[in-house]
Amino acid sequence: MNVFDFMWSHRLEVAQLTLEHLVMVAISILIAAGIGLPLGILMTRKPGLSRPIMVFANIVQTIPSLALFGFLIPLPFIGGIGQRTAIVALVLYSLLPIIRNTFTGISGVDPAIREAGRGMGMTDGQLLWKVEVPLALGVIFAGIRVATVIGVGVATIAAAVGAGGLGMFIFRGVSMVDSRLILAGAIPAAALALVADFGLGAVEKRFSRLLCLVLIVAGLASCSRADRIVVGSKNFTEQVILGEMLAQQIERKTHLPVDRKLNLGGTLVCHEAMTAGQIDTYVEYTGTGLTAILKEPPVNDSSLAYQKVKDAYKSKFGIEWTEPLGFNNTFAIIVRKSEAQQFNLKTIADAAPHTANWVAGFGYEFIEREDGYPGLVKTYNLQFPTPPRVMELGLTYKAAAAHQVDFIAGNSTDGLIDALGLVVLEDNKRYFPPYDAVPLIRDAVVMKHPEVREALSALGGKISEQEMRRLNYAVDGEHKDVKEVVRDFLETIK
């Protein structure tokens, strides 16, 4: 199935994400125009303010978009996950072209025209609105058009904070190493940018007031939130599958409406979102909760690790660990099958002497975590000649298969391991703690909707490691749709 067949078969989802993308950009441009136009006008009246205003707008423009989203997440009122954070970021990125073009357009009005207006007895306000702004309108609107094109592009990053939009396809495609999904998000986004660049002028001339009214109404409608259950997930294939599984299970067993905030990012993003009440449930792993969130040392006993995180989360965060799903997705050290056969590698200790000639590649979290790279190097005395290459977790498999890196850390249940001719080395020193997958749910949700807790409990013990690997391979290797894979699986456990 090529990208266009995929887009046609998923046309409703493409249309929905495109609309989310469009509304998000439109609201941010309206707000940015409401801030940037007065600031640009103020600069023409108070030249001393020009420098600090432009310095601020330029500094914001130089901040990498993903970093800006990261800065905003922990902030009260304007932060968190979802469209609010995305709109704040898009507004900040849109200010520079709007402020600059407003200032440039008004400042560029011929002084002789201004003098003529004053000679006719116009006040400064009349001169501004009846002479300067109309003459500068073309330049001002060009700034708005530039801001809109920038917004369309930056909004694709907003999927990382659960804001939806076409970036959902792109992030899913990167994590699943699926170019169809990447193009399914990139093509409509590029089309939106072209429409904004070439079509906004005509729309502005005839329908600007009507368009603003429609977008404001649409924005207000999108902000309304009924009594819904919000399901989140991290940003790799297994998490997307499990997030979709929780969502479908809740819909099937409770008939409550469910919002999906999948592909949110790493562990800390999901945890912050849950403690802030912005998502209600997601799947976490015992080892991750213990080391990354609670900052406790790793525990090798599976039952003890589960009990420790269950008790601590309940008392500290008001979050309940439900029943384990039935599989342990521990970190797996992976090499190419050809090297494993050539050097007779069975364990990580077997591979350690060869690391002096290898390049390592790891995901962002693995590099920093206590149970990740630093401890692994010490435990097995690994001696890589260069620092590890750090990349998106889903890309490490493809990089290893393409001989760009030689030694990676993945997940033991990933379907790409077999699909790409890779092999897992045994953790013979038992460095990695257990990572039993468990759905988490906020206590407040359990009190209000106990039926949601019952629906999640019904999944306990239903997924073996072999079954999870099969589900991952169906999405990563066979490129099946996540919703269909989950639906078929849930039919088997009725």
Side-chain angles (χ1 to χ4, degrees), residues 81-310:
I81 67 165
Q83 288 197 341
R84 178 178 59 192
T85 301
I87 288 172
V88 171
L90 292 177
V91 167
L92 291 173
Y93 276 120
S94 301
L95 286 176
L96 178 61
I98 294 175
I99 293 172
R100 183 175 56 200
N101 279 42
T102 302
F103 175 72
T104 302
I106 294 176
S107 299
V109 173
D110 191 333
I113 296 177
R114 289 198 187 93
E115 289 302 319
R118 290 192 180 95
M120 295 172 61
M122 285 186 172
T123 64
D124 191 58
Q126 291 173 328
L127 191 66
L128 173 67
W129 295 109
K130 294 181 180 295
V131 177
E132 293 176 320
V133 169
L135 290 174
L137 198 57
V139 178
I140 293 172
F141 197 72
I144 294 175
R145 289 170 64 183
V146 170
T148 304
V149 173
I150 292 172
V152 171
V154 174
T156 57
I157 309 294
V161 293
L166 292 164
M168 291 291 291
F169 278 138
I170 296 173
F171 276 91
R172 277 162 53 187
V174 170
S175 65
M176 298 174 188
V177 198
D178 189 342
S179 58
R180 295 175 312 158
L181 279 168
I182 297 173
L183 290 172
I187 291 172
L192 282 180
L194 290 173
V195 169
D197 192 29
F198 295 108
L200 208 54
V203 171
E204 185 270 341
K205 288 179 182 177
R206 298 190 177 186
F207 306 114
S208 57
R209 292 183 182 178
L210 178 60
L211 180 63
C212 288
L213 179 61
V214 170
L215 292 176
I216 291 171
V217 172
L220 292 174
S222 69
C223 293
S224 63
R225 187 179 187 270
D227 189 16
R228 295 173 174 269
I229 304 299
V230 183
V231 177
S233 86
K234 303 182 195 181
N235 58 344
F236 55 93
T237 302
E238 179 172 293
Q239 276 280 308
V240 174
I241 292 172
L242 293 175
E244 180 62 31
M245 189 177 295
L246 298 190
Q248 289 193 25
Q249 178 74 353
I250 293 168
E251 288 171 338
R252 288 154 61 98
K253 299 295 184 181
T254 70
H255 305 293
L256 287 167
V258 175
D259 280 345
R260 292 160 171 81
K261 299 292 184 183
L262 309 181
N263 255 315
L264 284 179
T267 298
L268 296 179
V269 173
C270 289
H271 178 72
E272 291 293 334
M274 197 163 192
T275 55
Q278 295 174 325
I279 62 174
D280 299 315
T281 179
Y282 81 102
V283 174
E284 189 53 276
Y285 305 94
T286 52
T288 302
L290 191 65
T291 58
I293 302 299
L294 300 177
K295 307 301 181 184
E296 296 279 347
V299 172
N300 287 323
D301 183 271
S302 179
S303 300
L304 179 59
Y306 172 72
Q307 197 58 49
K308 290 187 76 167
V309 293
K310 185 178 180 69

Side-chain angles (χ1 to χ4, degrees), residues 295 362-375 390:
K295 307 301 181 184
F362 301 122
Y364 301 107
E365 280 195 38
F366 188 80
I367 287 290
E368 302 293 339
R369 286 170 51 151
E370 182 181 343
D371 58 341
Y373 175 70
V390 183

Side-chain angles (χ1 to χ4, degrees), residues 17 27 62 104 117 192 210 232 288 296 325 334 451 474 483 490:
L17 294 179
I27 293 173
T62 63
T104 302
L192 282 180
L210 178 60
T288 302
E296 296 279 347
L325 294 173
I334 299 166
E451 67 272 25
K483 291 185 177 181
L490 290 178

